[in-house]
Amino acid sequence: LPGVSGFQIHFSSREVLTPGDSPDVLVAMNPAGLKANIKDLKRGGMLIANSDAFTAGNLTKVAYEANPLTDGSLSDFRVIPVELTRLTGNALESLPLTKVQVERCKNFFALGMMYWLYDRPMESTLRWIEVKFKKNPMFVEANRKALLAGNAYAETAELFGRYYRVKKAPIAPGLYRNITGNEATALGMIAASQLSGIELWYGTYPITPASDILHELAKHKEFGVKTFQAEDEIAAVGSAIGASFGGKLGTTGTSGPGVALKAEAIGLAVMTELPLLVVNIQRGGPSTGLPTKTEQADLLQALYGRNGECPVPVVAAATSAECFSVVLEACRIAVKYMTPVFFLSDGYLANGSEPWLVPDVSKLPRFGRNPAPSAADFQPYQRDPETLARPWVYPGMAGYEHRIGGIEKADITGNVSYDPENHERMVRLRAAKVAKIAQEIPPTPVLGPKKGKVLVVGWGSTYGAITAAVRNFHAKEKSVAAVHLRYLNPLPPDLGEILSSYDHVLIPEMNLGQLLKVLRSRYLVPAVGLNKVKGQPFKIAEIETAVQSLLEGKANGLGR
């Protein structure tokens, strides 16, 4: 059962914010798929099961004592057994395929049935098949025939009795493409390089669920992108810091275990005050944890997970598509303020996909290196008064020779210094530089009333469930609002005033209350947490239940 894989899709005539809570239809390819997912299917929902896979051996493997398709245990659902394996084989019998190859096509047979049930056009999928399998025309033909056969079978066998038509959702005009969070992250990094005119270097070590960023970046050498698969995490971040020292946009990507290994090197980038992007696609932990499951438990690691006073800016995307704009902002901050920056995503955003409005490039923010002082006036740690950033000079710039390193530097000159007064001054300057980023954070948008009973505060991938839940309360005219944070260090300057405007503050997180700790200590608000650490995202209903408890004055059971 733990090895069962699958996906959930949600489409609607209204805006879609999550993959949905409980599906209306479950397609189970075998008994393991059924047992792992039947608990999520709505009561009265439709179960389409590949009856060919419900053999005695397969039932025994997952501890079914009897065939659930025939023993009455699924009476709460509309069960439709379909011989998917046999029917797919019949559709493809004219093609010279192995039995295993034929079996793999049954997904498209089932998809064709779903397209009939929901009256969906198949043209885009047929084109996708041609592109995906273009190197093997036989696979193109097999999957195309399976899709069409499944669609025809659903119509002629009269399995469903009716079909459903979902109207188009209102959507802003423009050019859209489907995008995953990791694809959006990679494209945002490329955009940052192009907009700044600084060549991109990505040093990384493969790790789930961040590896797809490397795969995507490696496709785009025409934009001057340099990708480096290092022998380990330490070498990866070291190469990125070296690239930044050499005048490039040094970036590195990983998940929580890799961040732990990179921690000392990130401290080196803080001490040398070099721009560095650290991408953390969070997963279940600790240690190896749950590599393929999602979690939000690396926030405190990003904020504090280094030795000494070592502050870094932290930003987080709220949706898969938003990974593009937020990682672009992270790169801009890194270059302007000469500092490492953490960009937080997670497995849910990284692997989830949604329509993305392709942006107008002319409207994207352009940025570049801060102008260097004249060589005669150059000092390695002389700071810009607006940002407190030091100059970014690099090998090859005549007259700007200098030394940097991990040992504390003297203010202005950059010489090695063990002076206690200088150390405290430099520690405070580095912290003040990060704090100055708050001057650029825009006003925090509030979804709902500006004052009221309950405020739901979120960050990262909880956005969809929180927004949908709060909108549902608005439809009932309840006094509920939400804010979603993209800037986590520094926090928005107006956040304290917003938090104080509500009777109750609820903070849902896929951890045991990390943002909760930060906001309680910073603003002294009696916020409560809604915490979930199951490797799965929040459902809308879970947020609604917690908010309703606060509206009714029942805060005790929510969090500590």
Side-chain angles (χ1 to χ4, degrees):
L1 291 181
V4 170
S5 62
F7 64 92
Q8 184 165 318
I9 184 170
H10 178 193
F11 61 100
S12 173
S13 58
R14 297 172 292 181
E15 183 181 11
V16 171
L17 295 167
T18 75
D21 280 12
S22 300
D24 298 284
V25 178
L26 171 65
V27 180
M29 290 297 181
N30 50 51
L34 173 64
K35 195 163 194 177
N37 294 285
I38 190 63
K39 63 182 181 299
D40 296 319
L41 184 61
K42 283 182 181 177
R43 186 174 182 180
M46 185 182 298
L47 168 64
I48 299 170
N50 178 19
S51 56
D52 290 330
F54 282 70
T55 62
N58 285 345
L59 292 168
T60 300
K61 287 178 183 177
V62 293
Y64 272 126
E65 296 180 359
N67 189 338
L69 302 183
T70 58
D71 69 358
S73 60
L74 299 173
S75 58
D76 285 342
F77 311 103
R78 184 182 174 193
V79 181
I80 301 178
V82 179
E83 297 171 299
L84 287 175
T85 304
R86 183 184 68 81
L87 291 168
T88 304
N90 290 346
L92 305 182
E93 60 185 357
S94 63
L95 299 178
L97 298 171
T98 67
K99 182 179 179 181
V100 171
Q101 290 170 334
V102 169
E103 281 226 11
R104 287 177 177 170
C105 295
K106 66 180 181 292
N107 290 311
F108 277 106
F109 191 98
L111 183 60
M113 293 174 60
M114 292 299 95
Y115 276 176
W116 185 88
L117 179 62
Y118 287 102
D119 194 29
R120 307 301 295 174
M122 293 187 289
E123 287 75 15
S124 61
T125 301
L126 291 168
R127 289 194 299 270
W128 181 87
I129 289 172
E130 291 180 3
V131 173
K132 176 70 175 178
F133 301 102
K134 63 182 178 181
K135 292 183 180 179
N136 194 319
M138 185 65 68
F139 291 170
V140 172
E141 181 64 12
N143 287 312
R144 189 185 70 83
K145 291 187 74 168
L147 181 72
L148 295 173
N151 191 262
Y153 177 76
E155 181 177 14
T156 56
E158 299 183 352
L159 296 176
F160 307 116
R162 69 183 68 183
Y163 64 88
Y164 304 88
R165 180 170 295 160
V166 179
K167 295 180 180 180
K168 289 183 179 180
I171 191 169
L175 175 64
Y176 287 81
R177 60 158 286 185
N178 201 48
I179 200 165
T180 67
N182 277 347
E183 289 172 335
T185 300
L187 294 182
M189 294 163 67
I190 296 170
S193 173
Q194 293 294 301
L195 292 164
S196 65
I198 306 171
E199 190 174 89
L200 178 67
W201 170 276
Y202 186 66
T204 190
Y205 181 75
I207 185 171
T208 302
S211 298
D212 285 340
I213 299 173
L214 172 62
H215 303 159
E216 184 64 29
L217 286 173
K219 299 175 184 177
H220 299 288
K221 295 182 177 66
E222 70 273 22
F223 293 112
V225 176
K226 300 291 191 297
T227 54
F228 171 54
Q229 182 173 313
E231 65 268 31
D232 56 41
E233 296 281 5
I234 299 172
V237 67
S239 75
I241 295 171
S244 291
F245 176 68
K248 311 302 181 185
L249 182 56
T251 66
T252 187
T254 187
S255 190
V259 173
L261 293 168
K262 296 178 191 287
E264 182 182 1
I266 295 170
L268 173 63
V270 170
M271 180 66 84
T272 55
E273 300 191 40
L274 286 167
L276 174 70
L277 173 69
V278 182
V279 174
N280 181 358
I281 312 298
Q282 300 165 96
R283 71 189 204 188
S287 186
T288 311
L290 301 173
T292 62
K293 304 298 182 182
T294 194
E295 205 163 272
Q296 289 183 294
D298 296 349
L299 175 59
L300 295 182
Q301 181 188 41
L303 292 172
Y304 307 118
R306 294 160 298 282
N307 63 296
E309 292 289 342
C310 195
V312 296
V314 180
V315 296
T319 68
S320 296
E322 195 179 271
C323 288
F324 175 88
S325 58
V326 176
V327 82
L328 175 57
E329 171 69 352
C331 292
R332 188 194 68 81
I333 291 171
V335 170
K336 183 171 182 177
Y337 289 86
M338 291 292 289
T339 179
V341 179
F342 265 91
F343 166 77
L344 298 182
S345 175
D346 60 46
Y348 176 65
L349 295 181
N351 297 316
S353 65
E354 62 180 326
W356 174 51
L357 177 60
V358 178
D360 181 347
V361 174
S362 67
K363 296 180 180 179
L364 294 176
R366 294 188 176 274
F367 59 96
R369 297 183 184 89
N370 301 323
S374 67
D377 298 328
F378 169 67
Q379 292 284 359
Y381 283 85
Q382 190 165 2
R383 300 180 182 277
D384 179 277
E386 178 190 352
T387 63
L388 297 181
R390 76 173 188 86
W392 190 6
V393 297
Y394 46 88
M397 296 177 67
Y400 291 91
E401 294 81 6
H402 65 290
R403 297 176 301 174
I404 58 174
I407 296 177
E408 184 63 276
K409 299 292 171 285
D411 189 21
I412 310 297
T413 67
N415 295 328
V416 172
S417 173
Y418 290 94
D419 178 68
E421 300 298 329
N422 176 78
H423 175 58
E424 177 157 341
R425 174 170 173 74
M426 293 297 279
V427 165
R428 292 185 181 277
L429 278 170
R430 288 188 289 264
K433 180 174 68 170
V434 172
K436 271 187 169 289
I437 297 166
Q439 67 193 1
E440 298 191 54
I441 298 177
T444 304
V446 178
L447 174 64
K450 299 298 186 284
K451 293 184 177 182
K453 290 187 176 297
V454 178
L455 176 70
V456 186
V457 180
W459 69 278
S461 63
T462 57
Y463 171 81
I466 290 173
T467 302
V470 170
R471 286 180 179 174
N472 289 343
F473 280 107
H474 291 171
K476 302 173 186 176
E477 298 184 350
K478 300 290 186 179
S479 181
V480 180
V483 297
H484 211 80
L485 303 179
R486 275 79 173 178
Y487 297 88
L488 296 166
N489 191 40
L491 290 162
D494 58 359
L495 184 58
E497 181 180 353
I498 293 172
L499 294 174
S500 65
S501 300
Y502 298 85
D503 297 339
H504 303 282
V505 176
L506 175 70
I507 305 177
E509 297 180 85
M510 289 186 287
N511 57 47
L512 294 183
Q514 297 189 13
L515 181 63
L516 178 68
K517 290 182 176 68
V518 172
L519 297 189
R520 277 180 166 181
S521 64
R522 173 73 180 272
Y523 301 105
L524 303 179
V525 292
V528 295
L530 176 63
N531 305 112
K532 180 176 181 177
V533 201
K534 297 183 177 180
Q536 297 175 331
F538 277 103
K539 293 183 177 181
I540 298 168
E542 292 172 329
I543 308 290
E544 289 180 329
T545 299
V547 171
Q548 187 61 40
S549 294
L550 290 176
L551 289 172
E552 296 172 359
K554 303 173 183 177
N556 292 336
L558 289 177
R560 296 182 176 86

